């Protein structure tokens, strides 16, 4: 079994760049067990030996306020790593070493500090005496510059020596006020009598109990019993009365004071802090007016980049799959088998795989925005507005991208650190009208409201977006439970992204699309092909799909629609454009002729309801696959059921109100 090296650190310290430098192309991206937080693993080779490198989520502390913190904490506690590499931003030692002290308090001794961005310290007038820092902190400290590769060879050598037991350490442990230390000793003495002593550092457990850590309280309660736990919590309350603040805050404050005293022993500031280029850019890019204008320009550029480059590639792939289907169709004599392979498998799966260029280019664009530091500014500007609906500022990115396509937009929710925020953003994303639904909206608006088509289309878009934001509020309160994460924002310095990192990161994120979404699409495409082909082809009135449409006709009638609309919506599950394409098949005409036929059989109100329901109801099969891949079966089911319910209710209300008016 390979020895495990864990990388831990704050967000934006260059952890991903160091991970890529250590592992090269030998990486695997998956999810941590039971959650959808991204887990990256890779193989580091050094002098013929291989080591498994695990990139833990970027975190600021180990308080278990978020899934990310809990994952990192449990990984360190369970002793899975032979070596923990703590990646620290040299220009922000106070904030970064807070996490380091928490790791030391957990009893971890096998720690190496990578002092990253060391080249920037001189520019900021910061002098760090690395030898003194090693003596004070008690573990090896290696200055690095992840982008240039400086220091990485020495880092590798130190990691390997520690993994082989050739380096001994003595990590410094923070000390607190006498009343707190006395209570830590008291709680530790109680815990000594339990089996916990064999698995956990008692001092760490005691500190976490004083901080009222819910996970630790649950753990200790099983072994210590309710009476002793109540005694501990009573003492905590007494201390909080003494300090007139939560002990969580008191302990954090005293840890920072301890850290400040340490830093004086190996850090000097030799120059005044001057306005940097990043500061100057921020005055424009985070300005309430200029910042919003910049945001619109950046999104426009991102859309142009993804769809200008990706659309031709998508069409090329789509054409290739069509050509493949036609070619295979010539060699398959059995009609049923030909239909299954050509229309069901190649037609269905191929139409989804053709999205891959868009997905990959989107992640390239997102990685560039992340690595330049702009993503943090974007989130900071939108935070105030999105929080009104229970979402973080960063949620604006997947929502805007959804106007292009929901599939890459759902995958873009990976950039949200908090699980609750990510799930809610994922669930409301299909309510944002994508390009496919835009074709249905524009066709129906142009056919039935030729004089007011723009207003009609905008009204449907506005209603969909308003419902998406209100749904975020509703789902956040009733369905997707989670802790309210403390509001922490960091604006890293702007930097030029490494193309190697951008490409690697984009590939690792987007290749999941190929083998995860594809499996669901395959099953779904075959099912829809079967329904539309048996016992007779759709259009004959006897296919299962049409029978299904007539089954749902009573429900459709509540929205003023008939069985043809129900069938169209069923086929729209494959791709929303199929809503109109199905009418082509049923009426046997297309283009303007189809518009004339539909206008003679439907009222403008019915057309408006059909456009609205098409926008809101069940996500397309590719989007469902993406939600399942990112959030699991449960949230894919919630998305389907919620959208169906919402579309039905809205459809009935709008039709009823429109009939009265």
């Amino acid at each position: 079994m390979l020895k495990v090296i864990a990388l831990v650190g704050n967000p934006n310290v260059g952890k991903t760049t160091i991970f890529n430098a250590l592992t090269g192309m030998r990486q695997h991206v998956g999810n941590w067990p039971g959650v959808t937080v991204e887990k990256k693993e890779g193989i580091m080779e050094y002098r013929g030996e291989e080591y498994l490198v695990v990139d833990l989520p970027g975190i600021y502390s180990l308080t278990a306020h978020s899934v990310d913190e809990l994952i990192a904490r449990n990984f360190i506690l369970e002793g899975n790593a032979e070596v923990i590499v703590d990646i620290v931003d040299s220009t922000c030692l106070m904030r970064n070493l807070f996490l380091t002290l928490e790791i030391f308090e957990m009893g971890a001794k096998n720690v190496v500090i990578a002092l990253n961005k060391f080249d920037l310290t001189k520019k900021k007038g910061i002098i760090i005496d690395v030898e003194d820092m090693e003596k004070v902190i008690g573990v090896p400290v290696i200055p690095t510059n992840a982008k240039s590769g400086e220091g990485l060879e020495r880092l590798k050598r130190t990691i390997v020596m520690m993994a082989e037991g050739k380096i001994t350490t003595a990590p410094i442990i923070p000390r607190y006020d006498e009343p707190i230390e006395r209570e830590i000793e008291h709680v530790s003495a109680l815990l000594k009598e339990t089996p916990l002593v064999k698995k956990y550092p008692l001092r760490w457990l005691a500190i976490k109990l004083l901080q009222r850590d819910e996970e630790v309280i649950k753990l200790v309660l099983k072994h210590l019993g309710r009476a002793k736990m109540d005694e501990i919590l009573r003492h905590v309350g007494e201390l909080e009365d003494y300090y007139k603040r939560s002990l969580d805050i008191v302990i954090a404050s005293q840890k920072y004071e301890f850290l400040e005293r340490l830093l004086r022993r190996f850090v000097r500031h030799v120059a005044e802090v001057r306005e940097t280029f990043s500061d100057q850019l921020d005055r424009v890019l985070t300005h309430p007016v200029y910042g919003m204008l910049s945001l619109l320009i950046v999104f426009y550029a991102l859309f142009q980049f993804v769809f200008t480059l990706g659309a031709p590639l998508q069409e090329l792939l789509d054409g290739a799959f069509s050509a493949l289907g036609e070619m295979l169709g010539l060699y398959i004599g059995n009609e049923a088998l030909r239909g299954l392979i050509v229309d069901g498998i190649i037609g269905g799966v191929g139409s989804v795989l053709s999205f891959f260029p868009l997905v990959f280019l989107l992640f390239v664009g997102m990685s560039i925005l992340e690595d330049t530091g702009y993503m943090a500014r974007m989130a900071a500007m939108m935070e105030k507005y999105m929080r009104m609906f229970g979402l973080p500022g960063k949620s604006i990115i997947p929502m805007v991208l959804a106007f292009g396509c929901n599939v890459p937009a759902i995958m873009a929710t990976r950039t949200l650190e908090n699980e609750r925020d990510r799930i809610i953003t994922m669930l409301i994303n299909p309510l944002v009208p994508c390009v496919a639904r835009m074709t249905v909206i524009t066709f129906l608006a142009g056919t039935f409201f030729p004089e007011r088509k723009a207003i009609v289309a905008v009204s449907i878009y506005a209603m969909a977006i308003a419902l998406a934001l209100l749904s975020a509020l509703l789902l956040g309160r009733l369905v997707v439970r989670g802790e309210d994460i403390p509001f922490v924002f960091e604006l890293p310095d702007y930097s030029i992204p490494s193309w190697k990192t951008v490409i690697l990161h984009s590939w690792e994120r987007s290749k999941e699309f190929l083998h995860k979404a594809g499996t669901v699409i395959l099953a779904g495409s075959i099912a829809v092909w079967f329904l539309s082909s048996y016992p007779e082809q759709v259009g004959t009135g006897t296919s299962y799909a049409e029978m299904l449409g007539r089954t749902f006709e009573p429900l459709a009638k509540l929205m003023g629609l008939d069985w043809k609309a129900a069938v169209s919506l069923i086929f729209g599950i494959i791709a929303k454009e199929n809503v109109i394409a199905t009418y082509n098949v049923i009426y046997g005409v297309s283009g303007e002729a189809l518009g004339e036929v539909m206008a003679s059989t439907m009222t403008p109100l019915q057309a408006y309801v059909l456009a609205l329901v098409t926008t809101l109801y069940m996500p397309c099969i590719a989007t469902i696959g993406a939600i399942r891949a990112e959030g699991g079966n449960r949230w894919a089911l919630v998305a389907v059921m919620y959208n169906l319910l919402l579309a039905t209710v809205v459809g009935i209300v709008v039709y009823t109100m429109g009939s009265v008016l």
Side-chain angles (χ1 to χ4, degrees):
M1 184 177 290
L2 298 180
K3 291 182 177 176
V4 176
I5 313 299
L7 304 188
V8 66
N10 289 183
N12 302 313
V13 295
K15 193 159 60 67
T16 299
T17 308
I18 288 186
F19 174 76
N20 290 335
L22 293 178
T23 60
M25 296 293 289
R26 304 180 65 184
Q27 301 178 7
H28 169 71
V29 177
N31 285 339
W32 291 92
V35 293
T36 53
V37 177
E38 194 173 84
K39 179 182 184 182
K40 287 195 294 187
E41 294 179 338
I43 301 296
M44 180 185 88
E45 190 172 322
Y46 188 79
R47 295 183 178 174
E49 294 290 328
E50 290 188 339
Y51 301 84
L52 180 65
V53 182
V54 179
D55 188 11
L56 297 177
I59 50 173
Y60 290 101
S61 73
L62 293 163
T63 50
H65 280 144
S66 70
V67 177
D68 289 355
E69 290 174 348
L70 198 58
I71 287 170
R73 186 166 101 174
N74 289 340
F75 194 88
I76 294 170
L77 274 177
E78 288 166 8
N80 293 321
E82 295 289 333
V83 179
I84 296 168
V85 181
D86 178 22
I87 299 163
V88 168
D89 183 342
S90 304
T91 62
C92 302
L93 283 182
M94 175 69 88
R95 190 197 66 216
N96 281 249
L97 290 179
F98 183 89
L99 175 64
T100 307
L101 291 184
E102 293 215 317
I103 294 170
F104 291 166
E105 277 187 331
M106 293 173 70
K109 295 183 182 298
N110 50 339
V111 179
V112 177
I113 292 178
L115 211 51
N116 201 32
K117 302 184 183 180
F118 198 71
D119 54 310
L120 297 179
T121 54
K122 288 181 183 174
K123 293 178 184 174
K124 295 197 172 187
I126 303 170
I127 295 179
I128 303 172
D129 189 321
V130 177
E131 287 187 13
D132 280 355
M133 183 176 174
E134 281 188 333
K135 290 174 188 170
V136 171
I137 298 290
V139 300
V141 178
I142 314 296
T144 59
N145 177 355
K147 286 187 177 173
S148 69
E150 190 177 345
L152 294 182
E153 190 61 25
R154 186 181 162 203
L155 178 64
K156 278 187 184 179
R157 187 167 65 249
T158 307
I159 291 171
V160 170
M161 288 176 67
M162 185 169 281
E164 292 174 349
K166 295 178 181 175
I167 295 177
T168 55
T169 62
I172 191 164
I173 303 297
R175 309 298 295 182
Y176 305 100
D177 278 358
E178 195 273 334
I180 294 176
E181 285 294 337
R182 192 168 57 239
E183 190 56 30
I184 290 173
E185 284 182 22
H186 168 67
V187 176
S188 299
L190 292 175
L191 296 174
K192 264 184 190 170
E193 307 302 322
T194 69
L196 294 170
V197 69
K198 296 177 182 174
K199 192 172 179 184
Y200 299 98
L202 297 186
R203 180 179 172 83
W204 178 77
L205 284 178
I207 292 170
K208 288 298 157 190
L209 286 175
L210 297 191
Q211 292 178 300
R212 297 182 187 270
D213 185 298
E214 288 185 8
E215 293 293 323
V216 173
I217 288 176
K218 283 181 202 168
L219 172 71
V220 172
L221 190 60
K222 294 178 193 169
H223 301 279
L224 210 54
R226 173 53 65 186
K228 288 187 178 177
M229 179 58 73
D230 287 344
E231 179 190 329
I232 292 171
L233 294 179
R234 191 175 67 252
H235 289 185
V236 172
E238 290 169 0
L239 280 170
E240 288 176 337
D241 289 341
Y242 173 76
Y243 285 105
K244 297 184 174 21
R245 284 190 298 174
S246 154
L247 267 194
D248 194 9
I249 295 174
V250 174
I251 288 174
S253 300
Q254 293 191 10
K255 200 173 284 175
Y256 273 118
E257 289 167 9
F258 179 82
L259 198 49
E260 191 174 6
R261 292 193 292 274
L262 290 187
L263 290 177
R264 288 189 200 130
R265 296 165 66 180
F266 55 82
V267 177
R268 284 190 298 131
H269 293 269
V270 295
E272 289 182 12
V273 178
R274 295 180 181 176
E275 189 178 61
T276 63
F277 180 62
S278 288
D279 296 331
Q280 292 169 353
L281 269 182
D282 277 344
R283 278 198 286 158
V284 176
L285 297 181
T286 60
H287 188 275
V289 177
Y290 304 135
M292 291 302 291
L293 288 174
S294 305
L295 182 71
L296 293 175
I297 293 170
V298 168
F299 268 125
Y300 176 77
L302 181 61
F303 263 112
Q304 286 296 316
F305 170 71
V306 172
F307 289 98
T308 303
L309 290 180
L313 294 172
Q314 184 192 13
E315 287 178 14
L316 194 66
L317 271 178
D318 202 34
F321 281 114
S322 297
L324 177 65
E326 288 175 11
M327 186 187 73
L328 287 177
L330 297 175
Y331 296 97
I332 302 174
N334 184 287
E335 189 177 343
L337 183 62
R338 184 171 61 243
L340 171 63
I341 293 176
V342 175
D343 300 329
I345 297 176
I346 296 178
V349 178
S351 67
V352 174
L353 289 179
S354 66
F355 281 104
F356 183 74
L358 295 178
V359 172
F360 180 75
L361 289 170
L362 171 68
F363 279 122
V364 169
M366 300 280 284
S367 295
I368 292 171
L369 291 180
E370 277 183 327
D371 290 0
T372 54
Y374 182 72
M375 189 84 83
R377 274 79 183 176
M378 191 188 299
M381 275 192 302
M382 294 304 299
E383 182 72 24
K384 184 171 112 183
Y385 306 105
M386 298 300 285
R387 281 290 170 197
M388 293 166 66
F389 300 97
L391 291 171
K394 240 179 174 179
S395 289
I396 193 68
I397 297 160
M399 287 187 70
V400 171
L401 292 172
F403 284 107
C405 177
N406 292 117
V407 174
I410 296 271
M411 300 188 74
T413 59
R414 287 188 169 201
T415 57
L416 300 176
E417 293 83 6
N418 180 264
E419 182 74 355
R420 174 184 171 278
D421 296 339
R422 188 163 168 255
I423 295 295
I424 295 176
T425 307
M426 202 184 299
L427 292 178
I428 65 165
N429 202 279
L431 294 174
V432 180
C434 62
V435 170
R437 280 174 285 180
M438 183 184 72
T439 60
V440 179
I441 294 170
T442 51
F443 176 81
L444 293 174
T447 301
F448 288 86
F449 307 91
E451 303 298 323
R452 290 168 291 173
K453 58 187 176 189
I455 295 174
V456 168
V458 168
S459 72
I460 291 173
Y461 268 70
M463 206 179 298
I465 293 165
L467 286 169
L469 293 172
L470 291 173
S471 295
L473 206 57
L474 185 70
L475 290 168
R477 292 185 179 174
L478 301 180
V479 181
V480 188
R481 306 282 180 173
E483 289 188 35
D484 192 14
I485 302 302
F487 181 54
V488 177
F489 250 122
E490 180 188 8
L491 297 182
D493 287 339
Y494 291 98
S495 61
I496 298 171
S498 156
W499 282 107
K500 183 181 176 186
T501 302
V502 167
I503 298 299
L504 270 174
H505 207 192
S506 304
W507 167 244
E508 288 301 329
R509 283 175 166 178
S510 57
K511 76 177 184 184
E512 295 294 307
F513 172 79
L514 294 177
H515 59 80
K516 283 187 177 177
T519 53
V520 179
I521 301 306
L522 178 62
S525 300
I526 291 174
V528 174
W529 166 81
F530 180 79
L531 291 172
S532 62
S533 304
Y534 289 94
E536 299 291 338
Q537 285 290 329
V538 69
T540 60
T542 56
S543 70
Y544 290 130
E546 284 160 296
M547 285 190 255
L548 204 57
R550 291 188 186 281
T551 303
F552 285 105
E553 190 172 24
L555 180 62
K557 278 190 172 176
L558 294 176
M559 297 181 275
L561 304 175
D562 60 8
W563 70 270
K564 294 186 282 296
V567 173
S568 300
L569 292 170
I570 290 171
F571 283 99
I573 297 169
I574 303 174
K576 298 298 180 184
E577 300 95 328
N578 285 351
V579 170
I580 298 302
T582 303
Y583 275 101
N584 289 339
V585 175
I586 292 172
Y587 287 122
V589 291
S590 60
E592 289 185 10
L594 176 64
E596 289 172 7
V597 173
M598 289 182 70
S600 66
T601 57
M602 293 176 73
T603 66
L605 175 61
Q606 288 173 316
Y608 187 86
V609 171
L610 178 59
L612 189 57
V613 171
T614 301
T615 304
L616 301 178
Y617 86 118
M618 183 187 289
C620 73
I621 202 164
T623 303
I624 296 171
I627 296 174
R628 179 186 171 275
E630 294 299 309
N633 291 331
R634 178 189 172 196
W635 295 120
L637 183 63
V638 169
V640 169
M641 298 307 296
Y642 180 76
N643 282 33
L644 275 176
L645 181 64
L646 181 69
T648 304
V649 170
V650 171
I652 292 172
V653 169
V654 170
Y655 179 70
T656 305
M657 290 176 67
S659 299
V660 172
L661 296 173

